[in-house]
Amino acid sequence: MTYTVGQVSGFAGITVRTLHHYDRTGLLTPSERSPAGYRLYSEADLARLQQILFYRELEFSLEEIQVILEDPQATAVDQLRARHKRLGEQIAKLQRLVEVAERAMEVQETGVALTPHERFDVFGEITFDLSYATEAAVKWHDSEGHRQALASAAAHGKEDWRRIMAEAAEWRARVLAAFEARQPADGERAMDLAEEHHAHLARWFTPCPPAMHLRIADDFAADPRAFALLVPPSEQRPGLAEWLRTAVRANAERAGGEER
């Protein structure tokens, strides 16, 4: 028994145009033609089409499917094994994206409940970048300190944030003064400022051992979005982020790397 291209299209749920393409590329050439020259598909053709659609569902390319169907015993298992591995990686990536989305929703839901005007009044130029927050949630997903910092931030009220931001602004002014005075990043003055930042984090957000403080400082130097949470754009200077990272490292070494 044979079937027309229209019938096969209906059976398989694919377009006539797709079947024509499969024919042109040699992936699925109908076994027969009608006296008028129309394509006619046999039962064997339908079985081959079923295989093609199976591999397409697994996102194999048409070229890969062609290779498999030409020598199925030699290649199908290997191809399926490789695809199984890739699908596993994709599933893991999607699961991580789900976690990111959930963390992003947490950030939004547990953020400080302020109107836009109040946010500007309290935070000024300091802006919260959601893309950085979600990436940080993935990067620090195994850190109890990060989770505690988020919980502390959510618990702070408007007046708490006023005090936090005022304290941070006063510290930044002294950091800029030291930097512009060309104080060495590993000198006493810079290390004292780094220690003040460490104490600020511990006081308002989470205990911050030297290793964690170093990771935070690395973020400041590597990612402008992270540094903008510490120093607003109008106060930033070329080299300042790296200067602060060096100061934090020197301060950690001064402390002997001990937990604080």
Side-chain angles (χ1 to χ4, degrees):
M1 185 172 182
T2 59
Y3 305 89
T4 67
V5 67
Q7 289 174 315
V8 174
S9 172
F11 295 157
I14 58 176
T15 65
V16 169
R17 183 177 178 180
T18 297
L19 288 169
H20 288 176
H21 178 68
Y22 289 172
D23 186 7
R24 284 194 301 272
T25 60
L27 185 61
L28 177 63
T29 300
S31 299
E32 300 181 34
R33 293 272 178 170
S34 72
Y38 293 109
R39 296 171 174 85
L40 294 174
Y41 293 83
S42 67
E43 297 286 351
D45 295 333
L46 294 184
R48 182 179 176 92
L49 177 59
Q50 187 175 33
Q51 288 182 289
I52 292 169
L53 296 179
F54 168 74
Y55 289 120
R56 288 297 290 154
E57 186 69 21
L58 292 176
E59 298 185 359
F60 281 83
S61 70
L62 296 183
E63 292 76 14
E64 289 173 321
I65 296 171
Q66 185 86 50
V67 171
I68 292 171
L69 295 182
E70 286 176 359
D71 191 2
Q73 295 303 316
T75 62
V77 172
D78 289 341
Q79 292 279 2
L80 285 169
R81 185 177 292 115
R83 183 50 51 96
H84 179 271
K85 180 181 178 181
R86 287 197 291 272
L87 287 172
E89 292 170 349
Q90 289 173 2
I91 289 169
K93 182 179 179 180
L94 288 172
Q95 288 174 332
R96 179 56 59 84
L97 288 174
V98 169
E99 292 177 11
V100 169
E102 290 174 347
R103 293 294 180 88
M105 288 186 289
E106 281 182 21
V107 168
Q108 292 288 53
E109 292 170 359
T110 61
V112 185
L114 300 176
T115 67
H117 177 76
E118 288 174 324
R119 282 182 180 274
F120 182 78
D121 181 45
V122 173
F123 293 102
E125 288 186 70
I126 299 293
T127 57
F128 190 75
D129 189 308
L130 185 58
S131 66
Y132 172 73
T134 53
E135 288 174 24
V138 172
K139 181 177 180 180
W140 296 73
H141 73 279
D142 60 347
S143 168
E144 177 59 31
H146 181 70
R147 288 189 288 272
Q148 184 173 339
L150 288 179
S152 296
H156 292 325
K158 182 178 177 179
E159 292 309 313
D160 292 325
W161 281 106
R162 284 189 185 280
R163 288 193 290 272
I164 292 168
M165 298 309 292
E167 187 176 292
E170 190 274 335
W171 174 81
R172 284 199 309 273
R174 288 185 289 109
V175 166
L176 285 171
F179 178 75
E180 291 174 348
R182 300 184 181 277
Q183 291 290 319
D186 57 355
E188 289 293 325
R189 186 172 172 186
M191 287 190 289
D192 288 346
L193 288 165
E195 177 57 29
E196 286 185 38
H197 181 255
H198 161 264
H200 174 85
L201 293 176
R203 180 164 53 255
W204 291 106
F205 300 103
T206 182
C208 187
M212 183 177 182
H213 200 206
L214 284 171
R215 288 182 66 186
I216 292 171
D218 286 342
D219 272 0
F220 291 154
D223 194 324
R225 297 170 302 172
F227 192 50
L229 293 172
L230 182 70
V231 181
S234 66
E235 297 180 24
Q236 292 180 13
R237 304 289 186 273
L240 178 59
E242 185 60 43
W243 186 88
L244 282 169
R245 175 165 62 177
T246 300
V248 169
R249 185 170 300 279
N251 183 56
E253 291 172 356
R254 178 174 65 173
E258 298 177 356
E259 296 291 320
R260 288 178 287 190

